[in-house]
Amino acid sequence: MKLAKLDGKLPITLGVTKDSSLLTIDASSIDGTLNIITGKKGCGKSYLSKLLMVNLVGYKATVVIFDLNGEYSSLGMTNDGKKNIYYDKIHALTPSQNFKVALEQLHLNTAMGILVNALHLPGTSAREFRRLWKSLKERGKLNMQELGEAIRDLNCNQHVRDALASRFHSFVNSGFFTDCIGEAQLLNETLIKAKDQGGALVINLKNTSNVDRQIIVEYILGKLVDSLSNWKLKAVFLFAEEAHLYLRETYWDDIVTRMRHYGIFTTFITNQPDTIQETIYRQADNIFLFNFTNEHDLDVVSRAARVDSETVRSIARDLPPHYCLSLGRVVRDFPIVAKVRSLDIKTLGETRLFFKDMN
Ligand SMILES: Nc1ncnc2c1ncn2[C@@H]1O[C@H](COP(=O)(O)OP(=O)(O)O)[C@@H](O)[C@H]1O
Ligand SMILES: [Mg+2]
């Protein structure tokens, strides 16, 4: 512990080591970094990411989480359902319910990103859409209703019109777009709050379809890059659960290069280590490794981690649940195993079982 000099100004206590010392990392060692939390299902990955998130929020950081299973929205509550100190800083955003966007607030580039990347709109149609958007905007008619009519009345090749009409249909179906500006203010308001006082934006992706999920992620990432490049935000800690389910191919490299440069610092959380690209492992500053028994999974992480593969294999195989091997900057490259401490936070992460309450 002395060698690892774990004594910064922004302590985050992760847990307790075998000899009962506290493992305390410094928040600055996950600042500006790329992190991976991986291990078998049920061993405590999401729990650790919750611990990191609330501590970052406690230090006034802005945190965004792509919450695939809808398990982060109650971080502001204690186990017995009372408000905890984070209550005012946890903002649960459920797309198409309390989280919508108006076309008027959407940048053309973000709209194009959604159309091309999430909805695979071909090039010619994309050019046509760009023209249409600009013309509606000039006339102050940029809303869903006008857009729908403009596409219907478009005087162009029928394939192009059909292509645009089907994407418009996806926009409508997602329930994510609205013409009511009042409905579309929550994200901006919460971003401002999260910037001033620290806060976590929990993007609830549970119950969203594959396509909608990609639309939402495309929108959020566009919005973050936009806010960061205008200095409306200083930096964002992004937590992404099972990112391969919604992150398009080209974003992986983007996240380690362009987005990181803008100030998006990502933590990937997954129980399938082979869904994270090799480049991410190579660039990762920190890896929090939980138990793996499967040889293939061990292969993937041991090849990539910042320590020799035998060490990783032998330790990871024997880790009990809730025990984590920390590697990288957080421990100054001294691999340290600790039992992650428990939090008085309602985590909703409980594994659903049929026989649980029957004995
Ligand atoms: N360090 C810990 N202390 C107490 N309970 C924990 C701890 N880590 C995980 N748990 C509990 O164990 C269960 C599984 O943890 P979770 O983080 O959801 O696993 P994973 O994300 O790896 O599938 C949850 O009910 C969670 O609350
Ligand atoms: Mg989990």
Side-chain angles (χ1 to χ4, degrees):
M1 291 295 198
K2 257 187 213 148
L3 286 172
K5 287 201 192 106
L6 304 176
D7 54 357
K9 294 196 185 75
L10 303 168
I12 299 178
T13 298
L14 288 193
V16 185
T17 64
K18 216 175 190 170
D19 63 359
S20 309
S21 4
L22 288 181
L23 173 56
T24 302
I25 64 163
D26 196 76
S28 64
S29 62
I30 49 174
D31 190 6
T33 62
L34 178 66
N35 314 304
I36 297 173
I37 302 179
T38 188
K40 228 164 45 182
K41 191 169 188 293
C43 56
K45 299 179 298 298
S46 303
Y47 202 88
L48 173 63
S49 78
K50 286 163 193 164
L51 188 158
L52 294 174
M53 282 174 59
V54 293
N55 277 282
L56 287 169
V57 166
Y59 290 131
K60 300 201 169 175
T62 309
V63 175
V64 172
I65 166 95
F66 290 136
D67 179 12
L68 199 63
N69 302 312
E71 57 178 307
Y72 286 82
S73 45
S74 56
L75 286 183
M77 308 290 257
T78 60
N79 269 320
D80 52 7
K82 298 200 183 76
K83 295 180 184 178
N84 64 25
I85 52 167
Y86 306 111
Y87 183 80
D88 293 324
K89 297 184 173 182
I90 308 294
H91 310 285
L93 299 172
T94 305
S96 85
Q97 289 182 23
N98 68 349
F99 173 29
K100 296 187 185 188
V101 55
L103 295 192
E104 215 177 295
Q105 313 167 303
L106 203 59
H107 278 263
L108 176 55
N109 284 345
T110 311
M112 295 309 294
I114 293 174
L115 288 164
V116 173
N117 299 314
L119 301 172
H120 310 289
L121 185 70
T124 10
S125 310
R127 275 191 294 281
E128 194 60 48
F129 183 85
R130 198 179 273 275
R131 254 199 302 277
L132 200 62
W133 180 282
K134 284 184 175 153
S135 131
L136 286 172
K137 185 158 191 148
E138 272 165 22
R139 288 179 285 138
K141 290 185 165 178
L142 197 50
N143 58 52
M144 287 294 277
Q145 175 157 3
E146 294 284 346
L147 179 63
E149 282 170 20
I151 290 173
R152 207 176 46 228
D153 301 337
L154 197 60
N155 190 10
C156 69
N157 178 304
Q158 188 178 343
H159 293 299
V160 171
R161 191 169 51 238
D162 288 350
L164 291 176
S166 83
R167 272 50 173 211
F168 179 72
H169 198 65
S170 302
F171 267 41
V172 174
N173 267 349
S174 71
F176 183 54
F177 299 93
T178 175
D179 286 340
C180 170
I181 290 286
E183 276 189 323
Q185 285 306 338
L186 192 60
L187 178 67
N188 288 332
E189 285 164 14
T190 47
L191 267 179
I192 291 169
K193 254 194 227 158
K195 183 206 169 197
D196 294 342
Q197 309 150 28
L201 275 63
V202 179
I203 314 297
N204 185 356
L205 298 176
K206 195 184 175 184
N207 304 327
T208 50
S209 73
N210 209 353
V211 171
D212 294 352
R213 220 186 281 141
Q214 288 184 45
I215 293 177
I216 292 151
V217 168
E218 194 78 39
Y219 171 71
I220 293 278
L221 291 178
K223 177 80 188 175
L224 291 180
V225 168
D226 187 45
S227 309
L228 290 160
S229 55
N230 295 328
W231 285 96
K232 286 185 200 148
L233 278 177
K234 211 155 102 186
V236 172
F237 293 89
L238 178 70
F239 287 74
E241 287 253 2
E242 304 300 345
H244 61 285
L245 294 178
Y246 48 80
L247 205 63
R248 68 177 151 97
E249 200 72 9
T250 50
Y251 262 147
W252 292 94
D253 279 335
D254 241 28
I255 273 179
V256 290
T257 55
R258 192 173 67 97
M259 298 215 179
R260 190 175 185 175
H261 175 77
Y262 277 121
I264 299 181
F265 311 138
T266 309
T267 300
F268 290 108
I269 304 140
T270 185
N271 53 31
Q272 291 170 262
D274 57 357
T275 60
I276 293 183
Q277 296 192 353
E278 188 103 21
T279 46
I280 304 279
Y281 282 104
R282 261 188 272 123
Q283 305 263 344
D285 301 281
N286 296 298
I287 298 183
F288 300 96
L289 183 60
F290 287 84
N291 179 281
F292 271 124
T293 37
N294 175 306
E295 287 301 320
H296 173 69
D297 292 338
L298 282 167
D299 271 344
V300 176
V301 289
S302 67
R303 233 183 306 138
R306 303 170 45 125
V307 66
D308 68 288
S309 81
E310 269 320 299
T311 306
V312 169
R313 278 177 162 275
S314 59
I315 295 177
R317 206 184 265 133
D318 296 331
L319 287 172
H322 308 174
Y323 279 75
C324 167
L325 169 63
S326 301
L327 302 163
R329 220 171 103 179
V330 284
V331 289
R332 299 210 179 194
D333 283 311
F334 288 94
I336 297 179
V337 173
K339 182 179 194 302
V340 176
R341 74 182 164 93
S342 49
L343 299 162
D344 187 15
I345 276 178
K346 198 165 159 107
T347 56
L348 295 180
E350 254 175 273
T351 313
R352 185 155 156 177
L353 296 172
F354 183 76
F355 292 117
K356 194 165 56 181
D357 297 323
M358 291 195 184
N359 45 28

